[in-house]
Amino acid sequence: MDAAIKFEQVALALRPQGHPDHVESLNSLYNYHQLKIKRRGASTRLARSIGTTSGSRFKYLIGDIVFDILKGFPPRLLGTHTGMLCDRDSQIAQFQKSREYNQLLSSASAMDAPTQVTHIRKVVSTYFRYVTLSHRWGKIEPMLRDIDGRVIYNLDPTDGISKLQFFCQECCQHGYLWAWSDTCCIDKESSVELQEAIGSMFSWYRLSTLTLVHLADVLDTGTLSSSAWFKRGWTLQELLAPHSMLFFTRDWSLYRDSFSDHKEDIAILGELEQATGITSCHLIDFHPGVDDARLKLQWASMRRTTRPEDIAYSLLGVFSLYIPVLYGGSAENALGRLLAEVISKSGDTSILDWVGQSSVFHSYFPATITSYQTLPLFLPDLVTPPSTRRIRRPLFLRSVRKMHQALSNLPLAKFANFRLILPCIVHRIKAMTLTRVDTSTATHVHQIEAVGLAPIDIALSERLENAAEEVPYILIRPWHPNLLHPAINTDDALTHQWLT
């Protein structure tokens, strides 16, 4: 029975609200709980600390929905009314004592099953809304051990405590019961919890209802761009992840007295663009992942972290990647492991385009992220090679089409076992000139100007003719001829000769 309950819990996680089978999963989970109760002959405590139940269907539904909503939230939150740090059990216990919980118990019975689920989810989601703090760390910040079991409003207002107090007061004033800060809501003495928090932090900021940004170095008359907040590594994801943000100056005055979401304020959005170099479309609607990897590296290239390794770990959420967090190792190794994962997941070779000192991790990668400050030149996309319609003899159209198909089916570039594995690279030829002919060897030397390459000379047995309007050729650079020969699967010796 326990296995069946666990299976239904997993199924429920895969069938969120809106899924056609969401209600069915909730009902199945309820039925399994009922069977378990009957077998034991008495009421049992819900496995997820929802409390003792009399068998009420609605309590089970509420408990399952609470679990479903909270599973992606930070495990510890600050209660803005009480000033106390609460773990997950304490959060649920407070909810069970709340007016909202009692109203759910009294109102849900009059609704049909789908309406019940929708209504319960709405009430629970509203109750557990939380606000995140983004800031530059000061010299002394309160840790978990400093506030656990204590009321933060009663603590002496040192710089770090005062900031936390003002933050929670602002959250309370805006109508939110819960708040989260990266200073005191993570047990940094637990390596397991720290690893999980670093991997989850982007999603925690994204799931928050609002993010408050405290700019301790900006006065009421100052500007956003003057703040060191825009030069810190961790604050990049704290800028990109939230849907809604409000910026505050040193004394916790609202920046520009703008009470609307600052990501929707055109004037403030323009200041953010100027301060970060990130376009408004990315600021408003950022999607984490390995797409546009080179651009994201450029965003981070001017930022710094207190611990050098964190410049890599602070980007895990931006790229939606996981690598082990290994403090004590070199920053070059941390950055190298991140870049290796990016290229393995995306096949994007543009991250190999950098200027600076090479890394001890691998010479393909830079030693520091500052090497990505300049965006690379455009290179043609491997999967969209130039049209073959104008290609004529001596390269037969059939063979060239096979070659293009082979290029499209090649695996993505990847980095494995400290080896960079690259497919062939296609370059569009912009100009081609016959520079000389060696009659003794019947060799024609052409100077080629191709996109992404310096001018090069190529010696061929054939003379290549220019078309009237456009050069009808492309240049293919296989790292080894065998990358293409087996894939093309043709006996056309002339094609093979041209490829090599």
Side-chain angles (χ1 to χ4, degrees):
M1 186 60 62
D2 288 338
I5 291 174
K6 186 175 181 180
F7 176 84
E8 285 300 334
Q9 289 172 348
V10 173
L12 182 63
L14 297 174
R15 296 170 173 177
Q17 184 185 19
H19 192 281
D21 298 324
H22 181 75
V23 175
E24 179 184 348
S25 292
L26 282 174
N27 290 333
S28 297
L29 189 59
Y30 164 75
N31 291 332
Y32 281 128
H33 279 307
Q34 288 286 69
L35 287 173
K36 185 176 180 180
I37 291 171
K38 291 179 180 179
R39 285 186 179 183
R40 290 185 175 182
S43 290
T44 58
R45 186 176 183 275
L46 278 176
R48 293 182 292 275
S49 303
I50 299 303
T52 304
T53 177
S54 62
S56 168
R57 171 188 179 87
F58 308 120
K59 286 187 177 181
Y60 279 113
L61 282 175
I62 294 170
D64 289 329
I65 291 173
V66 167
F67 172 78
D68 186 47
I69 289 174
L70 293 184
K71 66 184 178 183
F73 284 17
R76 295 186 186 87
L77 293 171
L78 286 161
T80 63
H81 288 184
T82 64
M84 297 283 291
L85 184 66
C86 299
D87 60 14
R88 185 59 46 80
D89 289 341
S90 297
Q91 297 163 31
I92 294 173
Q94 286 196 33
F95 174 62
Q96 288 180 303
K97 297 175 183 177
S98 69
R99 174 173 51 88
E100 290 85 351
Y101 182 78
N102 290 325
Q103 288 178 344
L104 274 179
L105 293 180
S106 61
S107 64
S109 58
M111 304 175 184
D112 56 34
T115 306
Q116 286 172 3
V117 173
T118 302
H119 179 62
I120 293 171
R121 179 172 288 275
K122 180 180 179 180
V123 172
V124 171
S125 297
T126 301
Y127 180 87
F128 284 106
R129 292 179 305 170
Y130 67 94
V131 181
T132 47
L133 173 65
S134 179
H135 62 117
R136 184 185 180 187
W137 278 45
K139 292 182 179 179
I140 301 177
E141 295 285 353
M143 300 290 105
L144 183 144
R145 62 177 179 272
D146 299 320
I147 70 164
D148 195 17
R150 308 172 73 181
V151 178
I152 62 169
Y153 299 129
N154 296 338
L155 300 178
D156 293 335
T158 61
D159 287 346
I161 292 293
S162 178
K163 176 168 53 178
L164 195 61
Q165 291 170 342
F166 274 108
F167 166 59
C168 288
Q169 288 170 1
E170 284 291 339
C171 296
C172 186
Q173 186 176 352
H174 281 79
Y176 299 105
L177 295 176
W178 306 102
W180 183 87
S181 170
D182 59 351
T183 55
C184 59
C185 295
I186 303 172
D187 184 1
K188 297 177 179 63
E189 296 179 358
S190 168
S191 59
V192 174
E193 182 171 335
L194 182 60
Q195 170 97 31
E196 181 182 356
I198 290 175
S200 304
M201 207 168 295
F202 183 95
S203 65
W204 289 349
Y205 277 93
R206 172 133 298 185
L207 290 172
S208 67
T209 304
L210 175 67
T211 293
L212 303 187
V213 182
H214 182 236
L215 305 177
D217 53 354
V218 175
L219 301 175
D220 289 346
T221 57
T223 60
L224 289 180
S225 60
S226 64
S227 177
W229 186 85
F230 293 98
K231 301 298 181 183
R232 305 305 297 171
W234 288 105
T235 57
L236 177 60
Q237 69 173 359
E238 295 165 18
L239 171 67
L240 297 172
H243 295 294
S244 299
M245 301 182 78
L246 291 175
F247 287 85
F248 289 82
T249 58
R250 176 188 293 179
D251 64 355
W252 283 92
S253 297
L254 200 57
Y255 184 71
R256 301 294 191 211
D257 291 326
S258 173
F259 291 90
S260 62
D261 178 7
H262 286 174
K263 281 197 171 184
E264 295 180 353
D265 187 301
I266 296 177
I268 294 179
L269 201 57
E271 291 188 57
L272 292 176
E273 285 186 323
Q274 182 180 6
T276 63
I278 302 173
T279 59
S280 59
C281 63
H282 288 111
L283 293 171
I284 296 171
D285 187 26
F286 175 77
H287 299 282
V290 293
D291 293 340
D292 298 319
R294 186 59 177 75
L295 178 62
K296 294 170 183 174
L297 289 169
Q298 194 224 5
W299 295 343
S301 62
M302 294 298 292
R303 294 175 177 261
R304 301 290 181 271
T305 53
T306 302
R307 301 187 72 157
E309 310 100 301
D310 278 339
I311 198 61
Y313 303 143
S314 65
L315 295 174
L316 291 178
V318 173
F319 287 114
S320 192
L321 292 175
Y322 168 81
I323 61 172
V325 177
L326 306 174
Y327 284 117
S330 73
E332 291 186 37
N333 284 347
L335 180 60
R337 289 189 294 119
L338 173 71
L339 296 175
E341 192 70 10
V342 170
I343 199 170
S344 295
K345 289 290 191 295
S346 67
D348 185 355
T349 57
S350 68
I351 69 170
L352 304 177
D353 189 338
W354 50 269
V355 178
Q357 182 181 351
S358 61
S359 172
V360 296
F361 178 81
H362 201 289
S363 60
Y364 286 129
F365 302 132
T368 66
I369 203 165
T370 58
S371 296
Y372 289 111
Q373 291 180 19
T374 304
L375 284 175
L377 295 173
F378 169 78
L379 290 177
D381 188 349
L382 179 64
V383 299
T384 55
S387 172
T388 64
R389 286 179 296 177
R390 298 188 182 91
I391 298 180
R392 302 181 180 88
R393 291 180 179 276
L395 301 177
F396 300 106
L397 184 60
R398 178 179 59 85
S399 297
V400 174
R401 282 176 174 166
K402 286 185 177 181
M403 178 179 63
H404 281 166
Q405 185 63 38
L407 288 169
S408 300
N409 292 334
L410 284 174
L412 296 175
K414 64 180 180 178
F415 187 88
N417 299 321
F418 285 88
R419 292 182 61 197
L420 182 65
I421 304 171
L422 290 174
C424 303
I425 300 178
V426 179
H427 300 269
R428 179 176 57 83
I429 294 178
K430 300 184 295 183
M432 180 179 63
T433 306
L434 179 65
T435 57
R436 69 178 186 275
V437 177
D438 188 338
T439 56
S440 62
T441 59
T443 300
H444 297 74
V445 179
H446 302 79
Q447 186 178 75
I448 304 293
E449 294 182 27
V451 174
L453 294 176
I456 57 175
D457 289 339
I458 296 180
L460 299 171
S461 59
E462 301 286 339
R463 176 174 178 172
L464 301 180
E465 300 293 340
N466 281 314
E469 299 178 356
E470 184 179 349
V471 178
Y473 303 113
I474 56 174
L475 178 64
I476 301 175
R477 282 199 306 149
W479 286 85
H480 191 281
N482 289 340
L483 285 174
L484 281 183
H485 287 186
I488 293 177
N489 191 26
T490 176
D491 295 330
D492 187 349
L494 186 59
T495 302
H496 284 189
Q497 179 183 355
W498 184 71
L499 288 173
T500 56

